[in-house]
Amino acid sequence: MGEKMRLDRLLAECGEGTRSEVKAYIKKGRVTVNGKAVKDNGLKIDLENDEVWISGHQVKYEKFRYFMLNKPQGCVSATKDGLSATVLDLLDGEITRDLFPVGRLDKDTEGFLLITNDGQLGHELLSPRKHVDKKYIACVSKPLEPEQMSAFEDGVDIGDEKLTMPAKIRRISDETAAKPDGIGAVYEVILQEGRYHQVKRMFEAFGSKVEYLKRISMGQVVLDETLAPGQYRRLTADEVEALRRG
Ligand code: URA
């Protein structure tokens, strides 16, 4: 026997209406469980084995949901914000009540943001102890010297109690590719932790300003480049599995 849930709650959680709306549907006989119309709002549904239909379509309960958002600049990685749009506002048409972004990207950072209701996976992906790689592309105002790049790999003093954990850094532009004025540079940076403004503060420690930042992967899962900023899609089962493996 699988996990159980009240019928009215199940229907509401699956987006079939508010609790009172779904109660009205049940009363009208529009809901069947294993082929029989039911009138009991509180009927306990076996989430794995019972078949629930409403108004001619089957209701599929998913305990955990996973979305990959290409976060655009200008919205905040929070579930609520008094002023700005949040990343959840972009999941138009989804039931966002129990969803949250896994970690924060700054308001002006773009790229891969995982949004889920799986608290345990979210926690594991963010824990520095789990060593999950987060890969960023950073366009910066000033190239780093070789010894500054080595410092990224050894740990940088960004004004916190501890140095940053060893990070990987690789230059991915030649000197003129970065910006029309030819001054800046583009780097790929891989971190296993996620302190406040970390990438920006690591470059700042060497007098270089991050002018554009995009996260392109988390663990083995890479941002789907067909997603324009602001677009999202469900993770595939393989991607969820890859994140679980870390
Ligand atoms: N590092 C930053 O500085 N900002 C982000 O949004 C993510 C990592």
Side-chain angles (χ1 to χ4, degrees):
M1 220 166 10
E3 193 186 332
K4 295 204 163 194
M5 188 182 288
R6 281 177 65 101
L7 178 60
D8 52 5
R9 177 166 169 214
L10 168 69
L11 293 170
E13 294 225 341
C14 290
E16 299 296 343
T18 62
R19 204 68 171 248
S20 53
E21 282 165 351
V22 302
K23 281 181 182 163
Y25 301 147
I26 295 168
K27 207 166 169 191
K28 286 187 190 148
R30 283 167 51 184
V31 178
T32 64
V33 177
N34 302 326
K36 284 199 207 87
V38 291
K39 296 276 166 104
D40 176 6
N41 296 320
L43 185 68
K44 289 275 191 277
I45 302 300
D46 180 328
L47 296 174
E48 271 167 41
N49 300 307
D50 288 337
E51 199 174 293
V52 178
W53 287 64
I54 180 167
S55 308
H57 65 267
Q58 191 172 356
V59 175
K60 288 258 174 12
Y61 177 73
E62 288 171 295
K63 186 166 183 182
F64 294 127
R65 293 173 299 142
Y66 306 89
F67 300 92
M68 172 193 294
L69 170 71
N70 184 357
K71 179 193 168 299
Q73 295 183 338
C75 78
V76 295
S77 302
T79 51
K80 278 198 199 91
D81 188 272
L83 297 173
S84 307
T86 73
V87 290
L88 291 189
D89 294 330
L90 296 167
L91 269 64
D92 209 18
E94 307 291 342
I95 306 160
T96 55
R97 191 175 28 79
D98 58 347
L99 296 178
F100 59 89
V102 176
R104 288 183 174 231
L105 292 179
D106 297 335
K107 192 169 175 181
D108 61 356
T109 300
E110 281 186 12
F112 184 173
L113 190 63
L114 174 68
I115 298 181
T116 183
N117 58 346
D118 184 342
Q120 186 177 344
L121 181 69
H123 178 75
E124 283 176 7
L125 290 171
L126 296 180
S127 165
R129 272 175 292 126
K130 299 277 175 179
H131 299 283
V132 177
D133 286 346
K134 288 103 191 165
K135 192 187 282 183
Y136 297 87
I137 301 294
C139 301
V140 303
S141 63
K142 188 165 82 72
L144 299 183
E145 301 299 332
E147 65 275 13
Q148 296 172 332
M149 291 185 61
S150 305
F152 262 62
E153 317 220 335
D154 298 334
V156 178
D157 181 357
I158 56 171
D160 290 346
E161 229 166 76
K162 285 189 188 159
L163 298 184
T164 57
M165 279 169 62
K168 292 198 185 108
I169 182 162
R170 182 168 75 90
R171 185 151 179 193
I172 55 174
S173 68
D174 62 34
E175 259 146 69
T176 53
K179 292 202 310 177
D181 60 13
I183 295 172
V186 185
Y187 293 92
E188 180 189 271
V189 178
I190 303 176
L191 305 184
Q192 293 185 334
E193 54 183 347
R195 301 192 205 170
Y196 184 63
H197 294 334
Q198 182 164 345
V199 174
K200 292 175 183 166
R201 288 160 70 205
M202 288 174 85
F203 280 98
E204 239 164 57
F206 302 113
S208 185
K209 185 171 176 342
V210 172
E211 293 174 340
Y212 171 82
L213 187 62
K214 177 176 184 177
R215 182 158 66 194
I216 53 168
S217 67
M218 221 172 171
Q220 298 305 308
V221 181
V222 178
L223 177 67
D224 181 337
E225 285 295 340
T226 66
L227 297 174
Q231 292 186 325
Y232 72 94
R233 68 159 170 78
R234 293 256 181 172
L235 253 58
T236 64
D238 284 350
E239 287 170 335
V240 174
E241 201 37 52
L243 286 180
R244 290 217 176 97
R245 281 198 307 269

